Amino acid sequence: MVSNNLRFQVVEEAFKKRALDVRTPEEHPSEYFGKYVFNKEKMYRYLPKPVYEKMIDVMDNGASLDSSIADAVAAGMKQWAMEMGVTHYTHWFQPLTEGTAEKHDAFIEHDGKGGMIAKFSGKLLVQQEPDASSFPSGGIRNTFEARGYSAWDPTSPVFIIDDTLCIPTIFIAYTGEALDYKAPLLRALHAVGKAAKDVCQYFYDDVQKVQVNLGWEQEYFLVDEGLYSARPDLLMTGRTLMGHESAKNQQMDDHYFGTIPDRVQAFMKDLEIQSLELAIPVKTRHNEVAPNQFELAPIFEECNLAVDHNMLLMSLMKKVARNHGFRVLLHEKPFDGINGSGKHQNWSLSADNGVLLHAPGKTPEENLRFVTFIVETLMAVYHHNGLLKASIMSATNAHRLGGNEAPPAIISSFLGTQLTELLDHIEQSDKNELFNLKGKQGMEIDIPQIPDIIVDNTDRNRTSPFAFTGNRFEFRAPGSSVNCASAMISLNAAMAEALNNFKKRVDAKIAASVPDGTPENKSTKFAAILEVLKEDIKACKPIRFDGNGYSEEWVKEAERRGLDVEKSCPVIIEHYLDESSVRMFESTKVMNRKELEARNEVKWETYVKTVQIEARVLGDLAMNHIIPVSTHYQSKLIKNVQGMKDVFPTEKAAQLSARNMKLIEEIAERTERIEQLAEELTDARRVANRINDIHQRAIAYHDTVCPHMESIRQEIDKLEMIVEDGLWTLPKYRELLFIR
């Protein structure tokens, strides 16, 4: 019998061998894709056939998990994991912090004979009590009932990070409320899947399942680690709280889609390899518009898995970047005056018969299906435009929205000319007639060597927060640092409500037009669908906007249309508790009022803490870095002026010292204003902190603390351009923004 010590020595050696494993250049990604994931291929190898078939039914068809197979699944997972050098396991979940959480336990238990054995049971796989009581809960977890439970999500495969088997889970309170993003996301996906399937069956008898697809685009900045460490604001807040713009930034557009710097290319390659090993299907990489800004995007996936993969990728990015001497900045606006970073979310629905529901079809009936899902998406976005804005709003994303290619903080939808004209035609038509759509068309290029270009049936609008892009909608408003689930929960729940309402009204019209006992026919059904669509096309018209979202005219027009134009982050978050939002979430069984109230409290508290930390850091830098450096330079100027008087006649000395005198005076005035503003900033924080209601405290931080921070920054940025470069203690934008 192999001793336990020897067993763990073997496991440790296997892990070391895996850690040192170097891939040959000839290896194709298909050869190592999913290497560290317990996917279907691994399940087939390590699970008994009946257990494997039950697991596939759970993953593919949404069947309930049979607890009787848990031990067999756990045994197969453990065998595979230990062969890969794994020694620990963890329940990997997504608390309300925009990050992930894990508590590692070893594969060991007492053997009853004074020794230890490697053990991992079905009970440990399916459920654990990580406690994790310090995570934000919005008051759901009282001191006397502070337990938190994690439960395995079998639809998202387990994976290996270093020496740990990571098991994706939901995280709920002792009283059953969700404490994470995954639980309500799964509920929302179930709700919209069922609602979409029911509507789909108007057009296809064979549809039994509808899946939500998500393809995210992750934008980010890279900064040299040494420069990052020399900026306390970057280190503690993720953004620069001060800094005059560089003479050259993005105005030449030469970074956008440019040649990727060698160091960055090495980082990207390393990141892609490790991502592919974890079955994250990364596909696209390129330079973004701003200097040092880049983008990574995968092939779209099922929504729940895509969310997990994005959270895993953001963690992986930070780790890989440090190995290459970089720090990744995921903050939405780390640098003032240039583009911020978003996480565009490409969202669509697809049926199990292979039909993409937001894509035009080849027959009039299929095009009716296409228009149905387009219009009901618009209805969802129209009725809950304030909620969707709340789902993407944060203290960090508020800096990004509304400029430099970021969409405005008003939710509207761009459809393009062809689709807009079609909806207008349906609305105005007196007949309930089906229709054909123009597909992609060729554009002739007057260059013999260049083939014709195939043009999509819709263009792109960079100022639209929710744009139709041919066969999906692109939600451009979410920020780069957020959990994709936040927007996906609200959007899919709203879509489920819209589809349920649509079907209820269509069924009523069909019933009213068909005599009792008479079976419905296609013409009756399609006539009822068109009638309801006409009503909805007219109702949701205010959400459609194809113009310039940055214009002042649009703000006034949007307000006239009844859309939410609020700019205050704490006020926008209130939309979670609108009666229409509560009714929608409860009717779709995604979240109840108690969960919504708790999440709002967490969001307001997060906003307060974010601004509070920034204010403290800014005050510290202003008083302990900026003012001492500025006054030191001022002293040098004063000595220079005094020296002029010793060398030159009075009149000549005054003439030669005029510029320095002007600088001395300006430094004195600006440092005095900074001292005064810093004191006012501290007082504003103290007043806000005495407000007990977290909602009102967040509003106070927005209204009184943030303006003082902006004023201090303006003074500091002016001083940066005055003070001698060699004395300025903080790396400047021209150093931070250009990788060498």
Side-chain angles (χ1 to χ4, degrees):
M1 183 176 180
V2 180
S3 70
N4 288 307
N5 286 338
L6 181 57
R7 180 182 290 109
F8 280 99
Q9 281 178 359
V10 171
V11 170
E12 187 176 2
E13 289 301 317
F15 172 66
K16 288 179 179 177
K17 182 180 178 182
R18 179 166 69 87
L20 294 172
D21 180 34
V22 179
R23 193 167 295 96
T24 62
E26 294 77 21
E27 237 183 313
H28 190 271
S30 60
E31 298 179 51
Y32 56 82
F33 181 79
K35 179 179 181 180
Y36 299 127
V37 178
F38 195 67
N39 52 23
K40 292 178 181 178
E41 180 264 329
K42 311 280 190 343
M43 290 181 189
Y44 185 79
R45 287 169 51 199
Y46 286 89
L47 300 181
K49 186 177 180 181
V51 174
Y52 167 78
E53 290 173 348
K54 288 183 178 180
M55 280 298 302
I56 296 301
D57 193 28
V58 170
M59 296 173 69
D60 290 350
N61 305 317
S64 297
L65 179 66
D66 184 350
S67 58
S68 66
I69 68 171
D71 281 333
V73 175
M77 282 183 185
K78 186 192 73 165
Q79 181 184 351
W80 167 71
M82 294 188 72
E83 288 176 6
M84 297 294 290
V86 168
T87 58
H88 289 68
Y89 66 93
T90 182
H91 274 202
W92 183 81
F93 57 96
Q94 300 167 29
L96 302 177
T97 59
E98 306 302 335
T100 58
E102 53 200 62
K103 181 187 74 172
H104 298 198
D105 288 301
F107 283 137
I108 55 172
E109 296 288 345
H110 287 292
D111 65 357
K113 303 174 184 177
M116 305 294 288
I117 58 172
K119 188 175 182 181
F120 179 58
S121 66
K123 181 180 178 181
L124 295 175
L125 166 65
V126 171
Q127 178 181 318
Q128 280 197 301
E129 184 196 334
D131 185 15
S133 56
S134 293
F135 283 121
S137 67
I140 283 180
R141 304 179 73 183
N142 297 308
T143 304
F144 58 87
E145 51 185 15
R147 291 178 186 269
Y149 293 102
S150 54
W152 176 35
D153 170 19
T155 63
S156 184
V158 303
F159 55 91
I160 293 171
I161 296 290
D162 296 328
D163 65 346
T164 303
L165 182 71
C166 300
I167 305 160
T169 63
I170 64 169
F171 183 48
I172 60 172
Y174 180 71
T175 47
E177 291 86 5
L179 295 171
D180 67 345
Y181 282 107
K182 181 181 273 281
L185 175 65
L186 290 173
R187 295 173 192 158
L189 296 178
H190 174 75
V192 76
K194 182 180 184 306
K197 181 195 76 172
D198 292 344
V199 172
C200 248
Q201 289 178 343
Y202 285 138
F203 309 98
Y204 310 102
D205 294 333
D206 59 336
V207 170
Q208 296 301 315
K209 179 184 176 183
V210 171
Q211 173 179 291
V212 180
N213 306 309
L214 173 63
W216 41 262
E217 302 168 25
Q218 181 69 61
E219 294 178 339
Y220 61 96
F221 281 84
L222 288 177
V223 175
D224 279 298
E225 187 162 24
L227 297 174
Y228 172 90
S229 300
R231 289 287 305 227
D233 49 354
L234 275 179
L235 192 66
M236 288 186 274
T237 73
R239 75 178 180 109
T240 54
L241 300 175
M242 62 193 73
H244 197 283
E245 67 179 42
S246 172
K248 179 183 184 295
N249 48 50
Q250 67 184 46
Q251 63 265 52
M252 299 300 291
D253 296 323
D254 53 343
H255 188 261
Y256 190 46
F257 279 28
T259 302
I260 300 171
D262 289 345
R263 286 179 59 205
V264 177
Q265 182 92 336
F267 155 76
M268 288 179 168
K269 182 177 180 180
D270 196 0
L271 175 63
E272 287 175 0
I273 289 171
Q274 295 191 43
S275 296
L276 291 167
E277 288 177 333
L278 290 166
I280 305 173
V282 292
K283 181 178 179 68
T284 303
R285 65 188 183 200
H286 64 83
N287 289 6
E288 256 300 338
V289 177
N292 278 22
Q293 188 184 33
F294 307 94
E295 181 178 298
L296 177 152
I299 302 169
F300 74 89
E301 300 179 280
E302 185 278 324
C303 185
N304 178 45
L305 184 58
V307 169
D308 283 1
H309 278 168
N310 183 247
M311 297 305 294
L312 180 56
L313 177 100
M314 288 194 291
S315 177
L316 192 61
M317 288 173 81
K318 296 172 184 177
K319 175 183 173 183
V320 175
R322 297 193 71 171
N323 292 338
H324 290 264
F326 292 124
R327 285 298 187 107
V328 166
L329 302 183
L330 294 174
H331 193 288
E332 283 74 8
K333 195 74 169 178
F335 302 102
D336 192 37
I338 60 174
N339 280 17
S341 295
K343 180 146 47 192
H344 305 167
Q345 298 183 21
N346 295 278
W347 171 86
S348 64
L349 301 173
S350 59
D352 56 1
N353 63 352
V355 174
L356 197 58
L357 301 182
H358 285 106
K362 296 180 179 179
T363 65
E365 290 84 357
E366 284 198 316
N367 286 326
L368 181 61
R369 176 266 306 156
F370 163 66
V371 171
T372 295
F373 279 91
I374 292 292
V375 171
E376 294 316 306
T377 300
L378 294 175
M379 286 291 284
V381 176
Y382 172 58
H383 284 302
H384 297 288
N385 72 95
L387 172 66
L388 288 175
K389 186 159 77 170
S391 75
I392 57 89
M393 186 53 67
S394 65
T396 54
N397 202 24
H399 293 289
R400 162 184 168 259
L401 294 175
N404 297 101
E405 277 205 7
I410 301 172
I411 301 298
S412 65
S413 185
F414 167 85
L415 298 180
T417 303
Q418 182 181 346
L419 190 50
T420 296
E421 290 176 352
L422 173 63
L423 296 188
D424 290 342
H425 171 75
I426 295 171
E427 179 193 357
Q428 295 160 11
S429 175
D430 294 330
K431 302 177 181 178
N432 287 332
E433 56 186 3
L434 298 184
F435 41 83
N436 281 306
L437 285 169
K438 294 179 182 177
K440 294 185 178 183
Q441 301 178 49
M443 176 192 292
E444 292 186 10
I445 303 295
D446 194 19
I447 304 174
Q449 299 88 342
I450 305 298
D452 291 350
I453 291 177
I454 304 300
V455 180
D456 287 287
N457 53 23
T458 180
D459 199 358
R460 288 181 180 268
N461 185 329
R462 296 297 181 186
T463 71
S464 177
F466 196 81
F468 180 65
T469 56
N471 58 12
R472 63 192 182 278
F473 281 91
E474 182 179 17
F475 197 7
R476 295 175 54 83
S480 53
S481 68
V482 299
N483 189 323
C484 293
S486 181
M488 287 294 103
I489 291 167
S490 295
L491 176 58
N492 286 297
M495 184 64 175
E497 180 193 56
L499 290 171
N500 287 334
N501 182 270
F502 172 81
K503 186 174 190 306
K504 182 179 179 181
R505 289 181 292 142
V506 170
D507 286 350
K509 288 185 182 295
I510 293 173
S513 61
V514 176
D516 291 342
T518 305
E520 66 178 65
N521 55 45
K522 274 190 175 183
S523 60
T524 302
K525 178 172 61 176
F526 290 155
I529 290 172
L530 277 165
E531 277 189 56
V532 175
L533 283 178
K534 287 180 182 179
E535 297 171 2
D536 289 353
I537 289 170
K538 184 175 182 179
C540 69
K541 211 166 188 176
I543 204 69
R544 289 158 47 191
F545 178 65
D546 289 2
N548 179 10
Y550 291 161
S551 69
E552 285 300 318
E553 291 77 15
W554 168 233
V555 177
K556 296 174 185 176
E557 172 65 15
E559 189 170 15
R560 188 188 66 77
R561 294 186 185 190
L563 304 182
D564 186 270
V565 298
E566 179 62 56
K567 294 182 179 179
S568 168
C569 177
V571 175
I572 291 168
I573 293 170
E574 294 174 12
H575 284 297
Y576 273 100
L577 296 177
D578 289 348
E579 283 305 312
S580 59
S581 299
V582 176
R583 185 167 55 251
M584 179 269 291
F585 279 121
E586 290 190 332
S587 69
T588 55
K589 299 181 181 179
V590 173
M591 284 187 282
N592 58 37
R593 184 181 293 272
K594 184 177 180 181
E595 288 172 310
L596 291 168
E597 289 172 345
R599 278 159 198 270
N600 259 31
E601 186 169 332
V602 169
K603 285 178 177 290
W604 286 319
E605 188 175 0
T606 300
Y607 180 88
V608 167
K609 289 178 178 178
T610 300
V611 178
Q612 185 181 72
I613 292 169
E614 290 183 350
R616 286 175 172 171
V617 172
L618 181 59
D620 173 43
L621 287 174
M623 300 304 295
N624 296 310
H625 288 250
I626 305 305
I627 290 180
V629 168
S630 300
T631 53
H632 178 56
Y633 180 56
Q634 185 185 47
S635 297
K636 291 182 68 174
L637 293 175
I638 291 171
K639 287 181 181 179
N640 179 269
V641 171
Q642 290 171 340
M644 290 286 190
K645 291 178 180 179
D646 293 339
V647 175
F648 297 103
T650 303
E651 188 174 335
K652 184 68 172 177
Q655 180 185 348
L656 294 172
S657 303
R659 180 178 180 276
N660 284 353
M661 285 298 298
K662 186 178 179 181
L663 290 176
I664 290 167
E665 185 177 350
E666 184 174 355
I667 291 171
E669 290 173 352
R670 293 195 183 280
T671 53
E672 183 181 7
R673 280 200 290 270
I674 289 173
E675 287 178 339
Q676 181 182 346
L677 287 166
E679 187 175 339
E680 292 174 1
L681 176 65
T682 301
D683 290 341
R685 278 184 20 237
R686 287 172 179 163
V687 171
N689 289 338
R690 286 196 289 268
I691 300 173
N692 291 326
D693 183 86
I694 189 62
H695 181 197
Q696 295 304 316
R697 193 187 314 159
I699 291 174
Y701 262 85
H702 177 273
D703 293 349
T704 64
V705 176
C706 290
H708 281 97
M709 293 173 63
E710 285 301 312
S711 297
I712 292 172
R713 176 175 191 145
Q714 289 174 13
E715 300 295 338
I716 292 174
D717 289 357
K718 292 292 185 181
L719 284 173
E720 183 182 320
M721 299 302 290
I722 295 171
V723 174
E724 181 184 329
D725 193 65
L727 295 178
W728 199 257
T729 56
L730 303 174
K732 298 183 177 183
Y733 274 22
R734 67 168 183 261
E735 298 160 322
L736 291 167
L737 283 171
F738 297 94
I739 290 174
R740 294 165 181 81

